[in-house]
Amino acid sequence: MIRGSFMISKPPGVEDIFPDKIDRWNFVLQSAFSVFQSYNYREIIVPVMEFTEVFARGIGTETDIVSKEMFTFEDRGGRSLTLRPEGTAGVVRAYVENGEYNRLSICKFFYCGPMFRAEKPQRGRLRQFNQFGAEVFGSFDPYYDYEIISMVNDISHKVGIDSFKILINSIGCRSCRSEYIIKLRDYYKSNHDKLCKDCQRRLETNPLRLLDCKNESCSSLKVNAPAIRDFICNDCKGHFEKVKEYLDLGNIAYTEDPYLVRGLDYYTKTTFEFVTDKLGGQNAFAGGGRYDYLVEQFGGKPTPGVGFAAGIERINLLIEDRPIDAKGTDVFFIHTGGQSFMESVALIRKLRLLGISCDVDPEVKGFKSQFKRAERENARFAVIIGEDEVQSREATVKDQKTGQQEKVPFEKLSDFIKNNK
RNA sequence: GUGACUGUAGUUCAAUGGCAGAGCUCUGGAUUGUGGUUCCAGCCGUUGCGGGUUCGAGUCCCGUCAGUCACCCCA
C-alpha cells in the first residue's frame, strides 16, 4: 500500500485472477470444452441474475443454499433478485421459458460462469466461484446418467487430476422416496434424544441429511437406519442397475455410497459426486444427478433431466503443481532509440497485421535490460534493430531457445518468423 | 453462521517488551550492441487497521478487518 493513500479492498471470498494463473485456467476450460464437443453438447449462456423465485422453487426453500447462502436484493421496482448460487435452475428456467422442449426431443447443453454463495470463505470455498456444467433434457434413459458421469470422468483425467473417487447413489423417485422418508423419520424420532441439536432440526426440515451427520452418536444410529436401497421401487432400482452397467462397460470405477445425499431438493434417482482427499473439507470438485420433475415444476411440459457441475477453482487447486505451457510473445524487438526505434515500430506494425505477436520497450535502455525483458516475456525470438541494421536493412534475429542468431532482410522478416516459430 | 489460529518490504520468512532484518523478485552496473549462471550496488515498511497497558509495543491486552483450519455445507 502507498503511504498516505487508503486501501480499497475486495469483498471477502472473491478473487482477482492475474495473467500468470490464466494459462492454467484456460487449459482447464479448453479441456472441458473439447470433451463437451466430443459428446455433442452445445453451449448455453444464461443470466447470472434471476428472480429469487427461480432458485427458491428450483432448489428448495429448506435447503442450506436457499435458506442462508443466497445474495438476494431488490431491484428498483421492489422485485426480489438473486445472484445465481448454481447453474441448473437458470438453465431449466430458460429451457421452459423458450419452449425448447417443442424443438428437439433431446437437448444437450453445457455452460460455464460465476456462481455466488454467501458462505464463510475458506480455501476452495469462495463467495464468487466458477463452474462449468452440463444438462440433458428429455430422456428418462439411464444412458444419459452414464453419459454425464462419463463426461466428468473424461474431463478429470484430461486435466490431470491424479486421484479421485466417484461416489454414486440412488435416492429414488417421488413416490418411493417419500415412503422412505416416512420410515426414516419414524426411526430417528424413536431415537430423538440421542440426536445432536442440528439433527433434531433436520428431522423436520430435511430428514435425508440425518444420514450425513458426522456427530458420533448420530452416525452410530445410521448403522440400523433404514437404507434407501431397501425402499426404492423396481423402476428406480432397475434404472440404477443400468447406470452401473454402463459405467462397468466403460471401465469407469465408482463407489456406491448409500448415504450420499445432496443439498439440493430437485434430485431424483441417480446422484453422484467426484471427491478427492486433497481439498480438506471441500472434498467434492464435481457433482450432479438426475432431476425428473424440475421442468414441470417450472411450468414446462413434464420433461426429465440429468446434469452436473464442476468447480473450476477447486480443479485448479488439484492441478496447481502440474506445469502448464506459458504462452509468450513471438518477437521482442531490441532497439537503440531514434531512427532505430522508428524502424522497429514500422516493422512491428507489419508483423502484427500478419498475426505475429510482437512487443517492444519504447524507452531507450541497454541491450542487457532489453534482453532480460525478452526473456521474461517468454519471447520466441529477439529481433535487434540497431544502427548497423538500419544501415544494412537487415535485422539481427536471435533464436531465444538455441541462442543462435542470423541476419534477415527487413522484407523477409515476417516469412522468417512464420517459418521458424 | 459458530469456534480456533494467523497477520512484518512486491513475495517467502526473521527479530528476550529495547535502533525493524534476510533470501527471492525488482532497478542499475561488472570497458563500445546480447537474456538465463556468478559478483557488486540500489529501491522497497507509519509491522492489516483502531484503541489501551508501559519510560518504551512488531512483541502484552481489547476491538475491528482479512486470511487459514475445523464445524456446517458443497463446486
Side-chain angles (χ1 to χ4, degrees):
Chain A
M1 199 190 342
I2 294 164
R3 189 178 169 170
S5 71
F6 62 95
M7 179 75 94
I8 298 173
S9 61
K10 60 180 163 56
V14 303
E15 270 186 340
D16 303 312
I17 301 162
F18 277 81
D20 57 332
K21 289 199 177 147
I22 292 288
D23 288 323
R24 172 165 282 101
W25 186 280
N26 285 339
F27 164 73
V28 169
L29 269 191
Q30 277 158 19
S31 302
F33 283 13
S34 77
V35 173
F36 288 143
Q37 194 172 24
S38 71
Y39 281 74
N40 193 31
Y41 283 63
R42 301 186 66 202
E43 184 166 7
I44 180 170
I45 299 176
V46 296
V48 295
M49 186 169 69
E50 297 278 358
F51 287 122
T52 302
E53 186 68 7
V54 169
F55 305 114
R57 254 211 269 178
I59 301 166
T61 48
E62 292 304 316
T63 59
D64 283 11
I65 290 177
V66 172
S67 63
K68 55 188 191 198
E69 293 173 3
M70 295 206 299
F71 283 101
T72 296
F73 54 96
E74 280 188 8
D75 70 10
R76 293 180 183 220
R79 298 186 75 171
S80 182
L81 297 173
T82 292
L83 297 176
R84 63 181 180 191
E86 59 99 49
T88 302
V91 173
V92 170
R93 190 232 82 225
Y95 177 82
V96 172
E97 186 166 346
N98 293 281
E100 285 297 305
Y101 38 74
N102 292 322
R103 286 174 207 238
L104 268 177
S105 57
I106 305 286
C107 289
K108 307 209 289 187
F109 298 124
F110 75 86
Y111 61 85
C112 82
M115 308 293 164
F116 305 83
R117 290 183 201 171
E119 293 187 275
K120 183 152 181 169
Q122 224 172 294
R123 180 182 157 87
R125 194 170 75 182
L126 297 158
R127 290 187 171 180
Q128 176 179 342
F129 58 100
N130 287 270
Q131 292 186 330
F132 57 79
E135 318 287 352
V136 183
F137 294 101
S139 175
F140 286 104
D141 201 304
Y143 165 79
Y144 287 106
D145 306 48
Y146 150 78
E147 188 171 275
I148 290 283
I149 294 170
S150 168
M151 198 156 59
V152 185
N153 180 66
D154 291 358
I155 294 168
S156 304
H157 284 298
K158 189 151 190 163
V159 298
I161 298 172
D162 303 325
S163 58
F164 61 88
K165 263 167 61 172
I166 304 175
L167 306 179
I168 62 170
N169 191 26
S170 175
I171 57 170
C173 60
R174 192 146 47 182
S175 54
C176 60
R177 178 161 46 163
S178 56
E179 201 176 311
Y180 169 66
I181 287 173
I182 291 168
K183 288 282 193 310
L184 190 68
R185 194 177 262 152
D186 285 348
Y187 169 78
Y188 277 107
K189 258 186 187 158
S190 63
N191 292 287
H192 188 273
D193 296 343
K194 295 177 195 160
L195 292 172
C196 69
K197 256 188 186 160
D198 284 335
C199 282
Q200 293 183 356
R201 179 179 48 80
R202 288 187 185 116
L203 196 51
E204 299 308 319
T205 58
N206 199 343
L208 281 180
R209 297 222 71 87
L210 286 162
L211 300 169
D212 242 5
C213 189
K214 278 129 201 153
N215 182 294
E216 222 173 278
S217 81
C218 300
S219 62
S220 67
L221 286 171
K222 196 164 78 175
V223 182
N224 292 317
I228 182 88
R229 60 159 76 118
D230 299 328
F231 286 84
I232 61 175
C233 59
N234 285 336
D235 180 40
C236 289
K237 201 173 278 176
H239 184 97
F240 194 41
E241 290 307 316
K242 204 74 193 169
V243 173
K244 289 187 281 185
E245 204 179 317
Y246 286 126
L247 290 171
D248 291 336
L249 185 69
N251 259 324
I252 295 168
Y254 55 85
T255 306
E256 275 189 69
D257 179 357
Y259 304 115
L260 176 66
V261 174
R262 309 205 75 241
L264 299 91
D265 283 353
Y266 52 63
Y267 287 119
T268 56
K269 294 183 178 168
T270 314
T271 58
F272 63 88
E273 266 177 21
F274 282 61
V275 296
T276 158
D277 54 11
K278 292 178 183 159
L279 288 175
Q282 285 64 39
N283 64 343
F285 63 91
R290 177 164 278 281
Y291 46 86
D292 287 341
Y293 313 123
L294 192 53
V295 171
E296 59 181 281
Q297 237 171 282
F298 273 88
K301 182 169 95 183
T303 307
V306 54
F308 86 95
I312 298 176
E313 287 85 353
R314 286 190 185 173
I315 290 174
N316 278 325
L317 287 174
L318 289 173
I319 60 167
E320 69 188 346
D321 294 334
R322 187 193 157 113
I324 302 282
D325 287 342
K327 286 175 192 66
T329 191
D330 294 327
V331 185
F332 195 87
F333 275 74
I334 289 167
H335 65 94
T336 55
Q339 192 55 34
S340 142
F341 182 59
M342 296 306 283
E343 291 285 359
S344 301
V345 172
L347 284 166
I348 286 168
R349 170 145 181 81
K350 278 186 197 160
L351 297 197
R352 282 179 175 163
L353 287 172
L354 292 166
I356 296 166
S357 157
C358 300
D359 207 349
V360 68
D361 186 337
E363 285 181 46
V364 181
K365 288 182 178 167
F367 273 40
K368 190 187 186 87
S369 84
Q370 294 188 73
F371 268 99
K372 260 190 190 168
R373 178 83 187 280
E375 159 95 23
R376 237 181 305 136
E377 300 293 344
N378 219 342
R380 179 72 188 80
F381 297 99
V383 169
I384 303 170
I385 309 292
E387 276 125 49
D388 299 349
E389 287 81 1
V390 169
Q391 279 300 312
S392 64
R393 316 284 310 158
E394 284 183 331
T396 301
V397 179
K398 182 170 185 178
D399 186 317
Q400 291 289 94
K401 269 187 205 157
T402 64
Q404 289 183 332
Q405 56 186 54
E406 58 186 291
K407 298 276 184 184
V408 178
F410 285 179
E411 66 274 13
K412 291 192 175 152
L413 187 57
S414 60
D415 287 337
F416 181 88
I417 301 296
K418 275 190 171 171
N419 294 334
N420 292 283
K421 80 173 183 183

